[in-house]
Amino acid sequence: MSQDKDQKHKERQQRLKEQVDQRVEAAQKEQGIFQVITGNGKGKSTSGFGVVTRCVGYDKKAAVVQFIKGEWDCGERRLLEKHGVPFAVMKTGFTWDTQNRESDTKAAQETWQQAKAFLADESIDVVLLDELTYMITYQYLDLEEVLAAIRSRPHMQSVVVTGRAAHRELIELADTVSEVKNIKHAFDSGVKALQGFDY
Ligand code: ATP
Ligand code: MG
C-alpha cells in the first residue's frame, strides 16, 4: 500500500519536473526586466532593495531613486552608497506632511531628471524607482513620459517600481507585477517604526 503511494508520488513529481523543465527551456529571451511591486502591505521597498543588493553582489551596477523619502533615514542607503550605488533622493517637497502642489511638483520633476539619466545609462544594470507610483497618482510626473523612458531604456537594464496603487498602464508595461497584501501590520497595534527593520 505504502509502496504504491510512493510510486504514485514519484510519478507525479516526475511529471511536474518535466513540465518545469519544458518551461525553463522555453524561456530563452535575454532582456532586462521591468517589475512593479504594489499593494497595501509592507515589503515593497524592502523587496526593491533586495534586487539592488543582488545586483551589487555580482559587482553589477545599480542606481536608486527615492521619491517622497524626504529627510527620512534609510538603512539601505547607508549600506549601498558604500558600495558605489548612486542615490537620487527627493529632498524637499512631498511627504505626508506637506500638501504644496507647486513645490511638490518641482521636487518630483527634479528627481525625475536624475531618474531619466539612470534610465538612459547603458552601464546601469538595475534602477530602483522607489515610491514612483505616487508621483503619477498626484500628476506630479507625466505618465506618458515615465512610460516612454522605461520603454526606451537599454535592452539589458532592469527597472523596479514600488508604491501603492500602481497605475494600470505601468502594470500593463511591466513584465513582472507583484501585489503585497496587508494581512496585519505592527503599527496597527501601536508598535513604533523600528530602525534597522522599518527603515
Ligand atoms: P517597506 O519599506 O518596509 O518595504 P513598503 O515599501 O511596502 O514598506 P510603504 O507603503 O512604502 O511600504 O510605507 C512606508 C512605511 O510605512 C514603512 O515604514 C512601512 O513599515 C510602513 N507601512 C507599510 N505598510 C503599512 C501598513 N499596512 N500599515 C501601516 N504602516 C505600513
Ligand atoms: Mg515603500
Side-chain angles (χ1 to χ4, degrees):
M1 187 61 192
S2 151
Q3 248 182 352
D4 193 35
K5 230 171 147 182
D6 285 350
Q7 183 59 25
K8 282 223 167 89
H9 175 76
K10 211 172 153 186
E11 282 168 15
R12 227 176 10 244
Q13 291 305 104
Q14 184 60 30
R15 277 199 301 276
L16 188 65
K17 183 179 165 1
E18 280 162 18
Q19 281 168 14
V20 173
D21 285 350
Q22 269 174 23
R23 291 180 64 188
V24 170
E25 190 126 339
Q28 288 296 339
K29 279 192 273 182
E30 283 194 47
Q31 61 176 67
I33 292 163
F34 172 31
Q35 179 175 11
V36 171
I37 309 165
T38 191
N40 295 331
K42 175 180 167 64
K44 300 176 290 296
S45 297
T46 318
S47 173
F49 278 113
V51 175
V52 170
T53 309
R54 277 187 183 162
C55 173
V56 172
Y58 288 102
D59 295 321
K60 291 171 188 263
K61 212 171 149 190
V64 176
V65 185
Q66 288 179 299
F67 295 93
I68 88 162
K69 272 300 168 219
E71 303 293 329
W72 297 354
D73 205 352
C74 172
E76 292 96 332
R77 184 179 180 189
R78 287 170 173 239
L79 175 75
L80 292 164
E81 277 188 337
K82 289 185 199 148
H83 291 269
V85 176
F87 272 64
V89 182
M90 208 157 108
K91 286 179 200 70
T92 53
F94 190 87
T95 68
W96 302 118
D97 322 317
T98 72
Q99 265 121 41
N100 185 329
R101 264 197 78 77
E102 206 183 320
S103 68
D104 289 353
T105 306
K106 189 166 170 281
Q109 289 289 341
E110 279 168 15
T111 312
W112 172 243
Q113 296 315 309
Q114 295 179 280
K116 266 206 315 204
F118 292 145
L119 291 168
D121 187 337
E122 288 267 357
S123 74
I124 300 178
D125 300 285
V126 169
V127 180
L128 170 60
L129 303 173
D130 193 32
E131 322 296 351
L132 173 83
T133 57
Y134 305 99
M135 303 301 108
I136 290 167
T137 306
Y138 290 102
Q139 297 181 322
Y140 294 162
L141 299 180
D142 179 54
L143 172 67
E144 287 309 321
E145 195 183 332
V146 171
L147 293 173
I150 295 173
R151 257 192 224 107
S152 60
R153 73 191 191 278
H155 183 67
M156 288 308 295
Q157 186 183 81
S158 293
V159 175
V160 182
V161 165
T162 78
R164 296 174 189 213
H167 193 283
R168 183 177 45 80
E169 292 203 50
L170 274 176
I171 288 174
E172 243 166 60
L173 182 63
D175 303 295
T176 300
V177 180
S178 297
E179 183 177 6
V180 182
K181 185 179 157 188
N182 182 48
I183 306 280
K184 57 159 108 166
H185 193 288
F187 182 72
D188 301 332
S189 53
V191 182
K192 230 175 128 172
L194 186 63
Q195 185 188 65
F197 187 91
D198 287 302
Y199 61 91

